[in-house]
Amino acid sequence: MRQRQVVQGARRAREFEAFVAGAAGRLLHAATLLTAEAPDDNPRARRLLTLALAHTYAGWDRMRGEDPYDRARQHLALRFAHGAWRRHGVLLRGRTHPDSPLARLAPQERLILVLRLYEGVAEEQAAALLGLPAERVHTICDRATATLLHPPRGPAPAVVKAKVAAS
């Protein structure tokens, strides 16, 4: 009996290590997009990834045909959403990378944009995952996309104002 448990534990560890080797890079990139941190300085994204992988490993034996990547991605998204909405984005906006175009978006907009466009999750699936109506997910995704494609203009530079006034 003990021998069988040891063999099953070793098999489980090998399977999970293979999964992590194949999926961790993409999941880390998704987490980095969610947190809008710099790719080389992303402690919150790494924490989200660690929690998602730990949760996936804890349920590894119970997956029965379920895709472990989907499970890890769902947990990653839910952990981000729970932290972002519980703190209303106050802490999440503090460490965003200033050059990241996603830093302009609210956490909910980032989450839906990453799920829909980067991860390719269908509207209905994203809505079910987040507990929102599909129409709301569609609206938020459209608004976030428009914000990224057409960023708000800032004030005109002082040099241009001076030249216009002199004319």
Side-chain angles (χ1 to χ4, degrees):
M1 177 80 166
R2 178 81 175 133
Q3 179 69 20
R4 188 172 74 194
Q5 288 175 340
V6 170
V7 169
Q8 286 177 340
R11 177 189 49 80
R12 176 184 190 207
R14 280 192 312 274
E15 288 174 354
F16 187 74
E17 286 174 11
F19 164 70
V20 170
R26 184 168 173 94
L27 286 168
L28 178 61
H29 188 71
T32 302
L33 290 172
L34 288 173
T35 59
E37 294 175 306
D40 56 345
D41 182 26
N42 54 2
R44 286 187 9 264
R46 291 180 183 280
R47 174 97 172 119
L48 279 172
L49 174 64
T50 301
L51 291 170
L53 291 176
H55 186 267
T56 303
Y57 184 71
W60 192 259
D61 292 333
R62 295 183 305 271
M63 280 204 225
R64 308 281 185 254
E66 202 177 331
D67 184 7
Y69 185 84
D70 284 342
R71 181 91 166 257
R73 180 182 56 215
Q74 286 175 354
H75 190 73
L76 183 93
L78 291 175
R79 288 296 293 213
F80 175 77
H82 178 70
W85 294 332
R86 186 182 68 218
R87 291 187 291 262
H88 305 290
V90 173
L91 296 177
L92 295 175
R93 291 179 187 263
R95 283 197 43 92
T96 58
H97 190 261
D99 294 334
S100 172
L102 295 179
R104 288 192 282 270
L105 301 176
Q108 185 182 42
E109 292 173 327
R110 276 198 309 259
L111 176 59
I112 289 172
L113 199 68
V114 169
L115 284 174
R116 293 280 297 121
L117 300 181
Y118 180 72
E119 287 292 323
V121 175
E123 246 174 47
E124 294 77 18
Q125 283 181 296
L129 176 66
L130 301 174
L132 297 171
E135 298 80 24
R136 180 79 176 130
V137 169
H138 181 80
T139 301
I140 292 170
C141 189
D142 284 351
R143 184 178 59 221
T145 304
T147 300
L148 290 179
L149 293 176
H150 309 290
R153 289 185 167 173
V159 175
V160 173
K161 287 181 184 177
K163 285 183 181 180
V164 170
S167 299

